[in-house]
Amino acid sequence: MKTPSIGPARRSVLLILGALAAAGGALAAAAPGQRPPPPPSVYADYHPGFADMMTMAVQPRHTKLGLAIRARNWTYANYEAGELRGAFTRMARSIPSYEGEDTAGILAQITPSLDGLRKAIQDKNAAKADAGYAELTASCNQCHESQGRGYIVIRAPAASSYPDQDFTARR
Ligand code: HEC
């Protein structure tokens, strides 16, 4: 018996159905309640290093915190102190080891000065906040010294580098 041949029109219908079934299969790969895998990122191979994170996540927050304390903007200063702490935590998670040392371990040396400053800010104690900020800045430099980076010197900001942000407290 002669097998019926599939005509070109039927073949393309079958191809389309096949493609749809494959696409459906890919979608169904994510079980219900699970997120589908993220699309491949153009930044997949960009991994900010220690110095990148210092420059983009730590330094701006140190600057803003200084400007907020100078403006006695306690609500915002409290927020920014929390953000600075968060930046250090995320750094340790992203780069667990720095030059053979445990990152969380070396970053812990900043914790006491951050704690003290946070308390002064929450108490709205201007004198203690000023002293706490100087202490925090000294801790930045102490760590730089301890890591052989004594040439990276941090100080209180002389002026705002954010012309589009108002650091004074809202009433
Ligand atoms: C636990 C140690 C540690 C602490 C705490 C620390 N740093 Fe750093 N920082 C480093 C190291 C190490 C580098 C150099 C990284 C590299 O080049 O690999 C660095 C680099 C930097 C850089 C980059 C230098 C440049 O000009 O490009 C800046 C800016 C910086 N730190 C700011 C700060 C500020 C501000 C603080 C405090 C709020 C701080 N750091 C606290 C260890 C520390």
PDB file of all heavy atoms in Angstrom, residues 104-143:
ATOM      1  N   ALA A 104      33.630  39.970  55.260  1.00  0.00           N
ATOM      2  CA  ALA A 104      32.766  40.367  56.378  1.00  0.00           C
ATOM      3  C   ALA A 104      33.637  40.638  57.607  1.00  0.00           C
ATOM      4  O   ALA A 104      33.373  41.574  58.372  1.00  0.00           O
ATOM      5  CB  ALA A 104      31.747  39.277  56.664  1.00  0.00           C
ATOM      6  N   GLY A 105      34.675  39.845  57.784  1.00  0.00           N
ATOM      7  CA  GLY A 105      35.582  40.012  58.925  1.00  0.00           C
ATOM      8  C   GLY A 105      36.301  41.352  58.886  1.00  0.00           C
ATOM      9  O   GLY A 105      36.308  42.080  59.886  1.00  0.00           O
ATOM     10  N   ILE A 106      36.859  41.721  57.734  1.00  0.00           N
ATOM     11  CA  ILE A 106      37.580  43.008  57.708  1.00  0.00           C
ATOM     12  C   ILE A 106      36.603  44.183  57.741  1.00  0.00           C
ATOM     13  O   ILE A 106      36.878  45.215  58.324  1.00  0.00           O
ATOM     14  CB  ILE A 106      38.585  43.144  56.522  1.00  0.00           C
ATOM     15  CG1 ILE A 106      37.941  42.907  55.159  1.00  0.00           C
ATOM     16  CG2 ILE A 106      39.801  42.270  56.706  1.00  0.00           C
ATOM     17  CD1 ILE A 106      38.820  43.384  53.986  1.00  0.00           C
ATOM     18  N   LEU A 107      35.398  43.971  57.149  1.00  0.00           N
ATOM     19  CA  LEU A 107      34.429  45.075  57.156  1.00  0.00           C
ATOM     20  C   LEU A 107      33.859  45.322  58.551  1.00  0.00           C
ATOM     21  O   LEU A 107      33.372  46.409  58.845  1.00  0.00           O
ATOM     22  CB  LEU A 107      33.293  44.792  56.166  1.00  0.00           C
ATOM     23  CG  LEU A 107      33.616  45.015  54.682  1.00  0.00           C
ATOM     24  CD1 LEU A 107      32.440  44.615  53.801  1.00  0.00           C
ATOM     25  CD2 LEU A 107      33.996  46.471  54.407  1.00  0.00           C
ATOM     26  N   ALA A 108      33.949  44.309  59.409  1.00  0.00           N
ATOM     27  CA  ALA A 108      33.380  44.447  60.759  1.00  0.00           C
ATOM     28  C   ALA A 108      34.046  45.588  61.531  1.00  0.00           C
ATOM     29  O   ALA A 108      33.447  46.139  62.458  1.00  0.00           O
ATOM     30  CB  ALA A 108      33.534  43.133  61.523  1.00  0.00           C
ATOM     31  N   GLN A 109      35.246  45.993  61.132  1.00  0.00           N
ATOM     32  CA  GLN A 109      35.923  47.066  61.884  1.00  0.00           C
ATOM     33  C   GLN A 109      35.214  48.421  61.760  1.00  0.00           C
ATOM     34  O   GLN A 109      35.459  49.330  62.536  1.00  0.00           O
ATOM     35  CB  GLN A 109      37.395  47.188  61.491  1.00  0.00           C
ATOM     36  CG  GLN A 109      37.665  47.420  60.016  1.00  0.00           C
ATOM     37  CD  GLN A 109      39.164  47.390  59.707  1.00  0.00           C
ATOM     38  OE1 GLN A 109      39.904  48.281  60.086  1.00  0.00           O
ATOM     39  NE2 GLN A 109      39.606  46.330  59.053  1.00  0.00           N
ATOM     40  N   ILE A 110      34.304  48.534  60.794  1.00  0.00           N
ATOM     41  CA  ILE A 110      33.572  49.799  60.639  1.00  0.00           C
ATOM     42  C   ILE A 110      32.309  49.806  61.520  1.00  0.00           C
ATOM     43  O   ILE A 110      31.738  50.853  61.804  1.00  0.00           O
ATOM     44  CB  ILE A 110      33.203  50.033  59.142  1.00  0.00           C
ATOM     45  CG1 ILE A 110      32.859  51.497  58.845  1.00  0.00           C
ATOM     46  CG2 ILE A 110      32.058  49.162  58.673  1.00  0.00           C
ATOM     47  CD1 ILE A 110      33.968  52.246  58.235  1.00  0.00           C
ATOM     48  N   THR A 111      31.884  48.624  61.976  1.00  0.00           N
ATOM     49  CA  THR A 111      30.596  48.498  62.679  1.00  0.00           C
ATOM     50  C   THR A 111      30.487  49.364  63.936  1.00  0.00           C
ATOM     51  O   THR A 111      29.482  50.065  64.089  1.00  0.00           O
ATOM     52  CB  THR A 111      30.307  47.018  63.016  1.00  0.00           C
ATOM     53  OG1 THR A 111      30.547  46.246  61.841  1.00  0.00           O
ATOM     54  CG2 THR A 111      28.887  46.803  63.457  1.00  0.00           C
ATOM     55  N   PRO A 112      31.489  49.358  64.851  1.00  0.00           N
ATOM     56  CA  PRO A 112      31.310  50.158  66.070  1.00  0.00           C
ATOM     57  C   PRO A 112      31.088  51.646  65.773  1.00  0.00           C
ATOM     58  O   PRO A 112      30.205  52.264  66.381  1.00  0.00           O
ATOM     59  CB  PRO A 112      32.628  49.954  66.834  1.00  0.00           C
ATOM     60  CG  PRO A 112      33.218  48.704  66.271  1.00  0.00           C
ATOM     61  CD  PRO A 112      32.750  48.605  64.862  1.00  0.00           C
ATOM     62  N   SER A 113      31.830  52.200  64.818  1.00  0.00           N
ATOM     63  CA  SER A 113      31.650  53.632  64.553  1.00  0.00           C
ATOM     64  C   SER A 113      30.297  53.887  63.879  1.00  0.00           C
ATOM     65  O   SER A 113      29.655  54.910  64.143  1.00  0.00           O
ATOM     66  CB  SER A 113      32.807  54.191  63.731  1.00  0.00           C
ATOM     67  OG  SER A 113      32.929  53.529  62.510  1.00  0.00           O
ATOM     68  N   LEU A 114      29.845  52.947  63.049  1.00  0.00           N
ATOM     69  CA  LEU A 114      28.518  53.114  62.435  1.00  0.00           C
ATOM     70  C   LEU A 114      27.417  53.044  63.489  1.00  0.00           C
ATOM     71  O   LEU A 114      26.462  53.822  63.458  1.00  0.00           O
ATOM     72  CB  LEU A 114      28.293  52.024  61.386  1.00  0.00           C
ATOM     73  CG  LEU A 114      28.499  52.392  59.923  1.00  0.00           C
ATOM     74  CD1 LEU A 114      28.276  51.188  59.018  1.00  0.00           C
ATOM     75  CD2 LEU A 114      27.579  53.532  59.499  1.00  0.00           C
ATOM     76  N   ASP A 115      27.579  52.109  64.439  1.00  0.00           N
ATOM     77  CA  ASP A 115      26.592  51.974  65.517  1.00  0.00           C
ATOM     78  C   ASP A 115      26.502  53.255  66.343  1.00  0.00           C
ATOM     79  O   ASP A 115      25.409  53.757  66.626  1.00  0.00           O
ATOM     80  CB  ASP A 115      26.967  50.810  66.453  1.00  0.00           C
ATOM     81  CG  ASP A 115      26.722  49.448  65.801  1.00  0.00           C
ATOM     82  OD1 ASP A 115      26.031  49.399  64.767  1.00  0.00           O
ATOM     83  OD2 ASP A 115      27.240  48.442  66.328  1.00  0.00           O
ATOM     84  N   GLY A 116      27.669  53.773  66.709  1.00  0.00           N
ATOM     85  CA  GLY A 116      27.713  54.990  67.535  1.00  0.00           C
ATOM     86  C   GLY A 116      27.074  56.167  66.817  1.00  0.00           C
ATOM     87  O   GLY A 116      26.277  56.917  67.401  1.00  0.00           O
ATOM     88  N   LEU A 117      27.397  56.288  65.537  1.00  0.00           N
ATOM     89  CA  LEU A 117      26.861  57.406  64.752  1.00  0.00           C
ATOM     90  C   LEU A 117      25.341  57.285  64.629  1.00  0.00           C
ATOM     91  O   LEU A 117      24.606  58.269  64.774  1.00  0.00           O
ATOM     92  CB  LEU A 117      27.523  57.421  63.366  1.00  0.00           C
ATOM     93  CG  LEU A 117      27.014  58.470  62.399  1.00  0.00           C
ATOM     94  CD1 LEU A 117      27.126  59.874  62.985  1.00  0.00           C
ATOM     95  CD2 LEU A 117      27.756  58.399  61.067  1.00  0.00           C
ATOM     96  N   ARG A 118      24.870  56.083  64.377  1.00  0.00           N
ATOM     97  CA  ARG A 118      23.428  55.852  64.214  1.00  0.00           C
ATOM     98  C   ARG A 118      22.681  56.278  65.473  1.00  0.00           C
ATOM     99  O   ARG A 118      21.628  56.904  65.410  1.00  0.00           O
ATOM    100  CB  ARG A 118      23.211  54.361  63.941  1.00  0.00           C
ATOM    101  CG  ARG A 118      21.849  54.020  63.368  1.00  0.00           C
ATOM    102  CD  ARG A 118      21.905  54.066  61.863  1.00  0.00           C
ATOM    103  NE  ARG A 118      20.610  53.980  61.199  1.00  0.00           N
ATOM    104  CZ  ARG A 118      20.081  52.842  60.754  1.00  0.00           C
ATOM    105  NH1 ARG A 118      20.700  51.714  60.919  1.00  0.00           N
ATOM    106  NH2 ARG A 118      18.914  52.860  60.143  1.00  0.00           N
ATOM    107  N   LYS A 119      23.269  55.950  66.630  1.00  0.00           N
ATOM    108  CA  LYS A 119      22.610  56.277  67.890  1.00  0.00           C
ATOM    109  C   LYS A 119      22.538  57.797  68.055  1.00  0.00           C
ATOM    110  O   LYS A 119      21.500  58.346  68.406  1.00  0.00           O
ATOM    111  CB  LYS A 119      23.358  55.630  69.062  1.00  0.00           C
ATOM    112  CG  LYS A 119      22.848  56.080  70.416  1.00  0.00           C
ATOM    113  CD  LYS A 119      22.795  54.973  71.437  1.00  0.00           C
ATOM    114  CE  LYS A 119      21.903  55.287  72.652  1.00  0.00           C
ATOM    115  NZ  LYS A 119      21.612  56.675  72.947  1.00  0.00           N
ATOM    116  N   ALA A 120      23.654  58.477  67.766  1.00  0.00           N
ATOM    117  CA  ALA A 120      23.689  59.942  67.890  1.00  0.00           C
ATOM    118  C   ALA A 120      22.652  60.584  66.968  1.00  0.00           C
ATOM    119  O   ALA A 120      21.981  61.554  67.347  1.00  0.00           O
ATOM    120  CB  ALA A 120      25.086  60.451  67.553  1.00  0.00           C
ATOM    121  N   ILE A 121      22.508  60.041  65.766  1.00  0.00           N
ATOM    122  CA  ILE A 121      21.539  60.577  64.802  1.00  0.00           C
ATOM    123  C   ILE A 121      20.121  60.358  65.326  1.00  0.00           C
ATOM    124  O   ILE A 121      19.285  61.266  65.307  1.00  0.00           O
ATOM    125  CB  ILE A 121      21.725  59.902  63.417  1.00  0.00           C
ATOM    126  CG1 ILE A 121      23.043  60.363  62.774  1.00  0.00           C
ATOM    127  CG2 ILE A 121      20.554  60.198  62.501  1.00  0.00           C
ATOM    128  CD1 ILE A 121      23.461  59.576  61.538  1.00  0.00           C
ATOM    129  N   GLN A 122      19.865  59.158  65.829  1.00  0.00           N
ATOM    130  CA  GLN A 122      18.520  58.859  66.325  1.00  0.00           C
ATOM    131  C   GLN A 122      18.184  59.714  67.547  1.00  0.00           C
ATOM    132  O   GLN A 122      17.041  60.082  67.756  1.00  0.00           O
ATOM    133  CB  GLN A 122      18.386  57.362  66.609  1.00  0.00           C
ATOM    134  CG  GLN A 122      18.225  56.592  65.302  1.00  0.00           C
ATOM    135  CD  GLN A 122      18.364  55.085  65.433  1.00  0.00           C
ATOM    136  OE1 GLN A 122      18.659  54.559  66.502  1.00  0.00           O
ATOM    137  NE2 GLN A 122      18.169  54.389  64.330  1.00  0.00           N
ATOM    138  N   ASP A 123      19.223  60.044  68.350  1.00  0.00           N
ATOM    139  CA  ASP A 123      19.017  60.922  69.510  1.00  0.00           C
ATOM    140  C   ASP A 123      18.991  62.393  69.106  1.00  0.00           C
ATOM    141  O   ASP A 123      18.856  63.270  69.959  1.00  0.00           O
ATOM    142  CB  ASP A 123      20.139  60.721  70.540  1.00  0.00           C
ATOM    143  CG  ASP A 123      20.094  59.340  71.175  1.00  0.00           C
ATOM    144  OD1 ASP A 123      19.076  58.648  71.014  1.00  0.00           O
ATOM    145  OD2 ASP A 123      21.102  58.944  71.809  1.00  0.00           O
ATOM    146  N   LYS A 124      19.206  62.666  67.826  1.00  0.00           N
ATOM    147  CA  LYS A 124      19.293  64.051  67.308  1.00  0.00           C
ATOM    148  C   LYS A 124      20.302  64.864  68.103  1.00  0.00           C
ATOM    149  O   LYS A 124      20.079  66.038  68.422  1.00  0.00           O
ATOM    150  CB  LYS A 124      17.916  64.724  67.340  1.00  0.00           C
ATOM    151  CG  LYS A 124      16.860  63.966  66.554  1.00  0.00           C
ATOM    152  CD  LYS A 124      15.567  64.756  66.525  1.00  0.00           C
ATOM    153  CE  LYS A 124      14.592  64.214  65.565  1.00  0.00           C
ATOM    154  NZ  LYS A 124      13.609  63.393  65.659  1.00  0.00           N
ATOM    155  N   ASN A 125      21.426  64.215  68.438  1.00  0.00           N
ATOM    156  CA  ASN A 125      22.462  64.872  69.225  1.00  0.00           C
ATOM    157  C   ASN A 125      23.531  65.390  68.260  1.00  0.00           C
ATOM    158  O   ASN A 125      24.376  64.631  67.764  1.00  0.00           O
ATOM    159  CB  ASN A 125      23.050  63.867  70.232  1.00  0.00           C
ATOM    160  CG  ASN A 125      24.048  64.501  71.178  1.00  0.00           C
ATOM    161  OD1 ASN A 125      24.809  65.383  70.793  1.00  0.00           O
ATOM    162  ND2 ASN A 125      24.044  64.057  72.419  1.00  0.00           N
ATOM    163  N   ALA A 126      23.474  66.688  67.977  1.00  0.00           N
ATOM    164  CA  ALA A 126      24.322  67.278  66.943  1.00  0.00           C
ATOM    165  C   ALA A 126      25.814  67.098  67.246  1.00  0.00           C
ATOM    166  O   ALA A 126      26.587  66.702  66.360  1.00  0.00           O
ATOM    167  CB  ALA A 126      23.983  68.759  66.783  1.00  0.00           C
ATOM    168  N   ALA A 127      26.206  67.368  68.496  1.00  0.00           N
ATOM    169  CA  ALA A 127      27.634  67.285  68.834  1.00  0.00           C
ATOM    170  C   ALA A 127      28.131  65.852  68.685  1.00  0.00           C
ATOM    171  O   ALA A 127      29.204  65.604  68.115  1.00  0.00           O
ATOM    172  CB  ALA A 127      27.855  67.787  70.261  1.00  0.00           C
ATOM    173  N   LYS A 128      27.320  64.899  69.174  1.00  0.00           N
ATOM    174  CA  LYS A 128      27.735  63.486  69.082  1.00  0.00           C
ATOM    175  C   LYS A 128      27.705  63.001  67.629  1.00  0.00           C
ATOM    176  O   LYS A 128      28.512  62.155  67.244  1.00  0.00           O
ATOM    177  CB  LYS A 128      26.829  62.604  69.952  1.00  0.00           C
ATOM    178  CG  LYS A 128      27.200  62.661  71.403  1.00  0.00           C
ATOM    179  CD  LYS A 128      26.578  61.527  72.184  1.00  0.00           C
ATOM    180  CE  LYS A 128      27.075  61.589  73.636  1.00  0.00           C
ATOM    181  NZ  LYS A 128      26.216  60.834  74.533  1.00  0.00           N
ATOM    182  N   ALA A 129      26.774  63.517  66.845  1.00  0.00           N
ATOM    183  CA  ALA A 129      26.710  63.112  65.435  1.00  0.00           C
ATOM    184  C   ALA A 129      27.941  63.629  64.683  1.00  0.00           C
ATOM    185  O   ALA A 129      28.521  62.906  63.874  1.00  0.00           O
ATOM    186  CB  ALA A 129      25.425  63.619  64.790  1.00  0.00           C
ATOM    187  N   ASP A 130      28.354  64.856  64.997  1.00  0.00           N
ATOM    188  CA  ASP A 130      29.563  65.400  64.353  1.00  0.00           C
ATOM    189  C   ASP A 130      30.780  64.551  64.718  1.00  0.00           C
ATOM    190  O   ASP A 130      31.579  64.188  63.855  1.00  0.00           O
ATOM    191  CB  ASP A 130      29.801  66.853  64.791  1.00  0.00           C
ATOM    192  CG  ASP A 130      28.793  67.818  64.159  1.00  0.00           C
ATOM    193  OD1 ASP A 130      28.143  67.421  63.160  1.00  0.00           O
ATOM    194  OD2 ASP A 130      28.649  68.950  64.671  1.00  0.00           O
ATOM    195  N   ALA A 131      30.882  64.232  66.017  1.00  0.00           N
ATOM    196  CA  ALA A 131      32.019  63.420  66.479  1.00  0.00           C
ATOM    197  C   ALA A 131      31.936  62.020  65.867  1.00  0.00           C
ATOM    198  O   ALA A 131      32.960  61.451  65.454  1.00  0.00           O
ATOM    199  CB  ALA A 131      32.012  63.347  68.001  1.00  0.00           C
ATOM    200  N   GLY A 132      30.711  61.480  65.803  1.00  0.00           N
ATOM    201  CA  GLY A 132      30.512  60.136  65.250  1.00  0.00           C
ATOM    202  C   GLY A 132      30.879  60.069  63.776  1.00  0.00           C
ATOM    203  O   GLY A 132      31.441  59.076  63.310  1.00  0.00           O
ATOM    204  N   TYR A 133      30.584  61.148  63.069  1.00  0.00           N
ATOM    205  CA  TYR A 133      30.917  61.166  61.637  1.00  0.00           C
ATOM    206  C   TYR A 133      32.433  61.219  61.451  1.00  0.00           C
ATOM    207  O   TYR A 133      32.986  60.545  60.574  1.00  0.00           O
ATOM    208  CB  TYR A 133      30.236  62.351  60.941  1.00  0.00           C
ATOM    209  CG  TYR A 133      30.414  62.306  59.440  1.00  0.00           C
ATOM    210  CD1 TYR A 133      29.711  61.385  58.670  1.00  0.00           C
ATOM    211  CD2 TYR A 133      31.291  63.180  58.786  1.00  0.00           C
ATOM    212  CE1 TYR A 133      29.884  61.326  57.288  1.00  0.00           C
ATOM    213  CE2 TYR A 133      31.467  63.123  57.413  1.00  0.00           C
ATOM    214  CZ  TYR A 133      30.754  62.190  56.670  1.00  0.00           C
ATOM    215  OH  TYR A 133      30.926  62.123  55.300  1.00  0.00           O
ATOM    216  N   ALA A 134      33.107  61.990  62.314  1.00  0.00           N
ATOM    217  CA  ALA A 134      34.574  62.059  62.245  1.00  0.00           C
ATOM    218  C   ALA A 134      35.169  60.684  62.557  1.00  0.00           C
ATOM    219  O   ALA A 134      36.135  60.252  61.913  1.00  0.00           O
ATOM    220  CB  ALA A 134      35.088  63.112  63.229  1.00  0.00           C
ATOM    221  N   GLU A 135      34.543  59.997  63.511  1.00  0.00           N
ATOM    222  CA  GLU A 135      35.025  58.660  63.875  1.00  0.00           C
ATOM    223  C   GLU A 135      34.805  57.670  62.729  1.00  0.00           C
ATOM    224  O   GLU A 135      35.677  56.853  62.431  1.00  0.00           O
ATOM    225  CB  GLU A 135      34.254  58.195  65.107  1.00  0.00           C
ATOM    226  CG  GLU A 135      35.070  57.301  66.017  1.00  0.00           C
ATOM    227  CD  GLU A 135      34.294  56.994  67.275  1.00  0.00           C
ATOM    228  OE1 GLU A 135      34.178  57.897  68.140  1.00  0.00           O
ATOM    229  OE2 GLU A 135      33.778  55.871  67.350  1.00  0.00           O
ATOM    230  N   LEU A 136      33.643  57.757  62.099  1.00  0.00           N
ATOM    231  CA  LEU A 136      33.349  56.877  60.960  1.00  0.00           C
ATOM    232  C   LEU A 136      34.390  57.092  59.863  1.00  0.00           C
ATOM    233  O   LEU A 136      34.945  56.134  59.308  1.00  0.00           O
ATOM    234  CB  LEU A 136      31.949  57.181  60.415  1.00  0.00           C
ATOM    235  CG  LEU A 136      31.600  56.498  59.088  1.00  0.00           C
ATOM    236  CD1 LEU A 136      31.332  55.006  59.300  1.00  0.00           C
ATOM    237  CD2 LEU A 136      30.383  57.143  58.425  1.00  0.00           C
ATOM    238  N   THR A 137      34.659  58.353  59.577  1.00  0.00           N
ATOM    239  CA  THR A 137      35.624  58.685  58.523  1.00  0.00           C
ATOM    240  C   THR A 137      37.006  58.151  58.886  1.00  0.00           C
ATOM    241  O   THR A 137      37.727  57.629  58.032  1.00  0.00           O
ATOM    242  CB  THR A 137      35.637  60.213  58.308  1.00  0.00           C
ATOM    243  OG1 THR A 137      34.281  60.633  58.084  1.00  0.00           O
ATOM    244  CG2 THR A 137      36.480  60.614  57.120  1.00  0.00           C
ATOM    245  N   ALA A 138      37.359  58.250  60.172  1.00  0.00           N
ATOM    246  CA  ALA A 138      38.650  57.705  60.619  1.00  0.00           C
ATOM    247  C   ALA A 138      38.678  56.185  60.416  1.00  0.00           C
ATOM    248  O   ALA A 138      39.716  55.628  60.039  1.00  0.00           O
ATOM    249  CB  ALA A 138      38.895  58.066  62.081  1.00  0.00           C
ATOM    250  N   SER A 139      37.515  55.522  60.623  1.00  0.00           N
ATOM    251  CA  SER A 139      37.470  54.067  60.417  1.00  0.00           C
ATOM    252  C   SER A 139      37.671  53.703  58.953  1.00  0.00           C
ATOM    253  O   SER A 139      38.285  52.682  58.649  1.00  0.00           O
ATOM    254  CB  SER A 139      36.131  53.471  60.859  1.00  0.00           C
ATOM    255  OG  SER A 139      35.804  53.852  62.148  1.00  0.00           O
ATOM    256  N   CYS A 140      37.123  54.521  58.047  1.00  0.00           N
ATOM    257  CA  CYS A 140      37.353  54.276  56.612  1.00  0.00           C
ATOM    258  C   CYS A 140      38.868  54.266  56.385  1.00  0.00           C
ATOM    259  O   CYS A 140      39.405  53.350  55.767  1.00  0.00           O
ATOM    260  CB  CYS A 140      36.759  55.388  55.745  1.00  0.00           C
ATOM    261  SG  CYS A 140      35.006  55.732  55.942  1.00  0.00           S
ATOM    262  N   ASN A 141      39.534  55.300  56.908  1.00  0.00           N
ATOM    263  CA  ASN A 141      40.971  55.438  56.646  1.00  0.00           C
ATOM    264  C   ASN A 141      41.794  54.380  57.365  1.00  0.00           C
ATOM    265  O   ASN A 141      42.805  53.918  56.835  1.00  0.00           O
ATOM    266  CB  ASN A 141      41.421  56.851  57.020  1.00  0.00           C
ATOM    267  CG  ASN A 141      40.834  57.885  56.057  1.00  0.00           C
ATOM    268  OD1 ASN A 141      40.674  57.600  54.870  1.00  0.00           O
ATOM    269  ND2 ASN A 141      40.498  59.063  56.559  1.00  0.00           N
ATOM    270  N   GLN A 142      41.340  53.984  58.584  1.00  0.00           N
ATOM    271  CA  GLN A 142      42.062  52.923  59.303  1.00  0.00           C
ATOM    272  C   GLN A 142      42.072  51.646  58.476  1.00  0.00           C
ATOM    273  O   GLN A 142      43.078  50.960  58.382  1.00  0.00           O
ATOM    274  CB  GLN A 142      41.402  52.647  60.651  1.00  0.00           C
ATOM    275  CG  GLN A 142      42.018  53.442  61.796  1.00  0.00           C
ATOM    276  CD  GLN A 142      41.025  53.653  62.921  1.00  0.00           C
ATOM    277  OE1 GLN A 142      40.132  52.825  63.122  1.00  0.00           O
ATOM    278  NE2 GLN A 142      41.178  54.754  63.628  1.00  0.00           N
ATOM    279  N   CYS A 143      40.925  51.327  57.875  1.00  0.00           N
ATOM    280  CA  CYS A 143      40.873  50.103  57.077  1.00  0.00           C
ATOM    281  C   CYS A 143      41.747  50.254  55.838  1.00  0.00           C
ATOM    282  O   CYS A 143      42.463  49.334  55.470  1.00  0.00           O
ATOM    283  CB  CYS A 143      39.452  49.728  56.690  1.00  0.00           C
ATOM    284  SG  CYS A 143      39.422  48.105  55.907  1.00  0.00           S
TER     285      CYS A 143
END
